[in-house]
Amino acid sequence: MALIVKKFGGTSVGSVERIQHVAKTISKSVDEGNQVVVVVSAMGKSTDQLVDLANQISKKPNKREMDMLLTTGEQITISLLAMALQEAGYPAVSLTGWQAGIETEAIHGNARISNFKEEKIQHFLAEGKVVIVAGFQGMTIDQEITTLGRGGSDTTAVALAAGLKADRCDIYTDVTGVFTADPRYVKRARKLLSISYDEMLELANLGAGVLHPRAVEFAKNHQVVLTVKSSMVEEEGTFVEEEVTMEKNLVVRGLAFESNVTKFTVVGLPNQLNTLADVFTILAENNINVDIIIQNANDKETINISFSIDQSQLDETIAILEEQKASLQYEELRHEDNLAKVSIVGSGMISNPGVAAQMFKVLANEDIHVKMVSTSEIKISTVVDKEDMVKAVEVLHTAFNLDAIPAAQTV
Ligand code: ADP
Ligand code: ASP
Ligand code: MG
C-alpha cells in the first residue's frame, strides 16, 4: 500500500463537474489500494476575485485581513470535494491547513512553513479516510492565519508529502506536465519527461508558474518524488528528480520569462568603497526586491549603478532614493520600464562553453537588444523590451534544439 499526496490546482477544481472528476481520480487511486492525502486550491479564479474585492475597499489592504479573506477560497473546495467523495461512497474528511498541522512563521501574505504536526492526518488515514487539506494556508504559533504566497498550494502538498514520508507527490494541473516553455505562449513548447530539481527551481524562480518555487526547494531538500501531470488527460507527466533520467542530451532544458521588469539607474554616485553597500542597504531596508545589478565607472570620481526591479515597486523606489539624495550624493535617477526577462535554463550549460555567446548571437540576429544580463551555473537571464519577449523565447527555443524533442512526448 502506497501513501500518495495529490494536489489539484484552481482550474482542476473550477466547477462542480471538475470537482466530481477529481473525486473519480482519487477514488480510482483508493481502489488500487493506496492511502491518499489530497491538497486543493481555491476554485478557478476565485483567489483573484477575492483580491479584487479587497482592492475595491482598500488600496493597501491590511495583510492580516487579506490572509483571513484569501484562505476562505480553499475552504470551499475542501468541503465540496469531501462531499463529492462521500457521495460516491468513499470516506473522506476535509481539514483546513491549521487543522492539518501546518504551522508557519509569523509573516502575512508569504509565510514559510516552519513545522508540520502529522498526528491528525495520520489519525484519519488510519481510519481509512481520504484526507483533504486546504492548500496555501497555515497558522502561526500565536494562532494567526497566514498564507504561503500565490501558488502556494504546491508547497503545502510537497510539505505534507515530506512530513508524512509519502511515496509520491503528484501535482495535477491544467497542462500535461512541465514544458520547455509556457505552452500558452510558445506554440512549439514540448513536454519534458524529466527535469532536475535544480533546473525546475531556476525555471520556477524565473517565471515559470507551473510550480511554486518553495515547493521545488522543499522537494529537493526532502527528496520528495514529484510529478506534474494533467488533471484532465490521462497521460504520463513530468518527473522532477535529482538527476534527469531522460532527454539527457539537452544543453538547455527550458525557458522562462516574465514581464513587468523595470531597469533603474542611479547616475553619478561617488566612486567610493561603501557606495554599493549604502544604496542596496537602503533598498533592502525598504523591502525593494532587486534582481540584476550592474555597476560601471564613469571616471575616477563617479559610478552608475543599474538594477532591475518589478515594475510595481517603481514609485516606491523613486521615493526612497529621492529621500536619500543628500546622503547618497548621486546626480540623477533614470528608469526604463516595459521590459521583460527571458532566461534559458539547463544543467548542461556547466560543461558547454559558448552557451551565452550563442544566446546573444541569436537575439542580435533578430534585432533584439539585450539591456541586462545575469548568469548562474545553470541559467542565463537577459532583460529585453517587453514587446520582444515572446519572439526572443521562440527563437531561443529553436536555436537550442527544443523544437526537436520528439512529438510523441508532447501533449
Ligand atoms: P494550478 O492552478 O494547477 O496550480 P497554475 O496556473 O499555477 O495551475 O500553473 C499551470 C500553468 O503554468 C499552465 O497553465 C501554464 O500556462 C503555466 N506554465 C508556465 N510555464 C510553464 C512550463 N514551463 N510548463 C508548463 N506550464 C507552464
Ligand atoms: N489559491 C491560491 C492562489 O491562487 C493558491 C494556489 O492556487 O496555489 O494563488
Ligand atoms: Mg499553481
Side-chain angles (χ1 to χ4, degrees):
M1 182 167 59
L3 170 58
I4 309 175
V5 176
K6 291 179 184 287
K7 180 258 170 178
F8 296 87
T11 316
S12 308
V13 293
S15 65
V16 166
E17 291 72 27
R18 291 242 160 107
I19 288 177
Q20 284 165 333
H21 180 73
V22 165
K24 277 214 183 85
T25 307
I26 296 165
S27 56
K28 203 169 145 215
S29 187
V30 173
D31 290 344
E32 286 164 4
N34 300 309
Q35 285 185 311
V36 185
V37 174
V38 184
V39 174
V40 284
S41 294
M43 289 174 71
K45 299 258 171 256
S46 58
T47 309
D48 290 337
Q49 286 157 4
L50 292 170
V51 171
D52 191 51
L53 279 178
N55 288 336
Q56 287 180 42
I57 291 189
S58 166
K59 271 201 185 122
K60 217 173 168 192
N62 179 283
K63 288 189 169 174
R64 177 187 185 276
E65 302 312 329
M66 206 59 193
D67 280 351
M68 189 64 83
L69 176 70
L70 296 193
T71 47
T72 61
E74 271 69 15
Q75 283 196 52
I76 294 176
T77 326
I78 51 170
S79 48
L80 291 176
L81 181 57
M83 289 175 203
L85 276 161
Q86 289 158 2
E87 230 13 66
Y90 291 81
V93 60
S94 66
L95 298 176
T96 61
W98 42 96
Q99 284 179 314
I102 298 205
E103 217 170 83
T104 76
E105 13 160 78
I107 291 175
H108 287 294
N110 201 16
R112 282 177 181 271
I113 296 176
S114 48
N115 195 10
F116 163 53
K117 297 196 175 115
E118 61 180 315
E119 293 77 18
K120 193 148 187 149
I121 293 186
Q122 293 288 18
H123 164 81
F124 285 121
L125 285 174
E127 284 186 348
K129 292 196 167 109
V130 174
V131 183
I132 302 166
V133 180
F136 174 59
Q137 54 177 248
M139 200 176 256
T140 68
I141 43 171
D142 297 325
Q143 266 123 55
E144 285 293 312
I145 293 176
T146 51
T147 56
L148 310 181
R150 296 301 305 269
S153 295
D154 297 336
T155 302
T156 305
V158 178
L160 292 183
L164 295 166
K165 300 191 178 52
D167 296 280
R168 277 201 342 252
C169 181
D170 296 340
I171 306 282
Y172 289 82
T173 183
D174 55 5
V175 284
T176 52
V178 177
F179 282 62
T180 48
D182 188 338
R184 291 193 201 287
Y185 289 83
V186 183
K187 292 278 159 311
R188 293 193 296 271
R190 294 285 199 261
K191 188 177 83 187
L192 292 162
L193 293 177
S194 162
I195 187 164
S196 69
Y197 293 126
D198 290 335
E199 291 168 325
M200 191 63 238
L201 187 57
E202 288 280 14
L203 284 174
N205 275 322
L206 293 166
V210 64
L211 282 178
H212 194 235
R214 282 189 194 151
V216 186
E217 214 176 273
F218 228 105
K220 179 179 164 62
N221 290 344
H222 297 86
Q223 296 288 300
V224 173
V225 179
L226 187 64
T227 61
V228 178
K229 53 167 91 171
S230 165
S231 63
M232 292 138 209
V233 190
E234 243 183 81
E235 184 182 301
E236 197 174 351
T238 303
F239 284 94
V240 187
E241 48 200 346
E242 191 57 43
E243 293 271 336
V244 291
T245 47
M246 283 158 282
E247 299 133 348
K248 285 187 180 180
N249 56 338
L250 296 174
V251 175
V252 171
R253 197 165 310 278
L255 292 106
F257 46 95
E258 57 194 357
S259 50
N260 302 326
V261 174
T262 293
K263 178 182 172 185
F264 202 96
T265 306
V266 189
V267 181
L269 284 152
N271 190 358
Q272 289 167 0
L273 200 58
N274 286 331
T275 302
L276 262 179
D278 291 346
V279 170
F280 290 103
T281 303
I282 288 166
L283 294 171
E285 280 171 359
N286 287 280
N287 289 322
I288 303 292
N289 227 329
V290 172
D291 185 16
I292 304 174
I293 298 172
I294 296 173
Q295 174 190 306
N296 35 33
N298 296 326
D299 47 53
K300 274 207 173 117
E301 272 75 51
T302 63
I303 57 167
N304 294 350
I305 295 176
S306 298
F307 51 88
S308 63
I309 51 170
D310 192 274
Q311 205 149 312
S312 62
Q313 295 203 297
L314 176 62
D315 292 344
E316 224 177 322
T317 307
I318 294 175
I320 291 158
L321 290 176
E322 277 182 348
E323 203 176 294
Q324 299 292 331
K325 187 162 190 207
S327 71
L328 290 173
Q329 297 177 310
Y330 60 81
E331 283 159 24
E332 61 169 319
L333 301 176
R334 286 186 203 147
H335 70 268
E336 191 178 353
D337 40 22
N338 288 319
L339 302 176
K341 188 162 75 170
V342 172
S343 309
I344 57 175
V345 172
S347 309
M349 281 183 206
I350 300 176
S351 48
N352 277 279
V355 179
Q358 192 184 350
M359 181 180 195
F360 303 148
K361 205 183 292 168
V362 169
L363 294 175
N365 281 346
E366 296 294 325
D367 252 348
I368 296 173
H369 289 256
V370 173
K371 299 171 188 259
M372 301 179 101
V373 178
S374 79
T375 64
S376 78
E377 270 192 325
I378 64 163
K379 70 118 196 212
I380 304 166
S381 294
T382 54
V383 173
V384 300
D385 276 325
K386 193 166 157 176
E387 58 180 37
D388 290 330
M389 180 179 79
V390 175
K391 171 105 178 282
V393 175
E394 280 174 342
V395 291
L396 291 168
H397 196 271
T398 306
F400 286 103
N401 296 324
L402 297 177
D403 298 359
I405 296 177
Q409 294 171 6
T410 67
V411 201

